[in-house]
């Protein structure tokens, strides 16, 4: 897909360069229909004056602020309570970061000790 991000040069749309990022699922299973309109909503949101390059500020008005403001705009449109940075970090970012850390640690251990994983033959998978 396309990754929208915001920095001192403004809004960017990238199809590559984010292969090492962590994806944080935000849409609950009963709301998958919302995914179809997110691209349109994100495009409209990104054209706002708040995201012009000169408004960027490294600590207070950055890519994290951009992502959270978009999420809150969707929540507001749904009539739901918006979330603050602390709540978003605690509920969404930290759990995914912990999972990624465990995976990276496991991968490093396997590589350091020259282990590798072999897929099971189809017959054994069914047992």
């Amino acid at each position: 897909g396309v990754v929208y991000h915001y920095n001192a040069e403004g809004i960017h749309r990238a199809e590559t360069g984010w292969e090492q990022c962590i994806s944080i699922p935000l849409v609950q299973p009963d709301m998958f229909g919302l995914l179809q309109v997110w691209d349109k909503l994100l495009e409209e949101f990104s054209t706002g004056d708040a995201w012009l390059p000169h408004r960027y500020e490294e600590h207070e008005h950055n890519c994290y602020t951009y992502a959270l403001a978009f999420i809150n705009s969707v929540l507001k449109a749904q009539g739901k309570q918006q979330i603050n940075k602390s709540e978003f970090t605690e509920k969404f970012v930290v759990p995914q970061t912990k999972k990624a850390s465990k995976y990276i640690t496991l991968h490093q251990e396997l590589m350091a000790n020259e282990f590798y994983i072999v897929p099971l033959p189809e017959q054994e998978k069914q047992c």
Side-chain angles (χ1 to χ4, degrees):
V2 175
V3 175
Y4 283 69
H5 56 106
Y6 174 65
N7 63 21
E9 297 170 0
I11 298 294
H12 303 274
R13 293 154 193 85
E15 292 184 21
T16 60
W18 290 84
E19 294 80 12
Q20 299 281 327
C21 72
I22 297 173
S23 176
I24 300 174
L26 300 172
V27 178
Q28 298 170 348
D30 63 334
M31 300 183 72
F32 280 127
L34 180 63
L35 289 175
Q36 296 175 356
V37 296
W38 269 43
D39 286 343
K40 182 179 180 243
L41 294 173
L42 188 52
E43 186 62 37
E44 290 172 4
F45 176 80
S46 298
T47 61
D49 289 343
W51 312 112
L52 294 173
H54 71 277
R55 296 190 183 236
Y56 181 84
E57 198 284 308
E58 185 176 355
H59 299 288
E60 296 297 325
H61 195 76
N62 51 37
C63 197
Y64 194 90
T65 308
Y66 167 75
L68 184 57
F70 172 69
I71 292 164
N72 277 328
S73 74
V74 172
L75 291 172
K76 183 178 180 181
Q78 294 176 323
K80 295 183 178 180
Q81 183 176 348
Q82 297 181 14
I83 57 177
N84 62 36
K85 284 184 180 182
S86 297
E87 184 179 3
F88 179 67
T89 301
E90 181 182 318
K91 288 185 177 181
F92 295 98
V93 178
V94 171
Q96 295 299 324
T97 304
K98 284 182 179 179
K99 286 180 188 178
S101 177
K102 288 177 184 178
Y103 174 80
I104 291 167
T105 301
L106 176 61
H107 180 265
Q108 289 171 338
E109 286 295 317
L110 291 171
M111 296 299 291
N113 293 298
E114 299 183 15
F115 285 92
Y116 61 94
I117 299 172
V118 178
L120 293 173
E122 283 300 315
Q123 300 145 342
E124 292 181 50
K125 286 183 183 178
Q126 296 174 358
C127 295

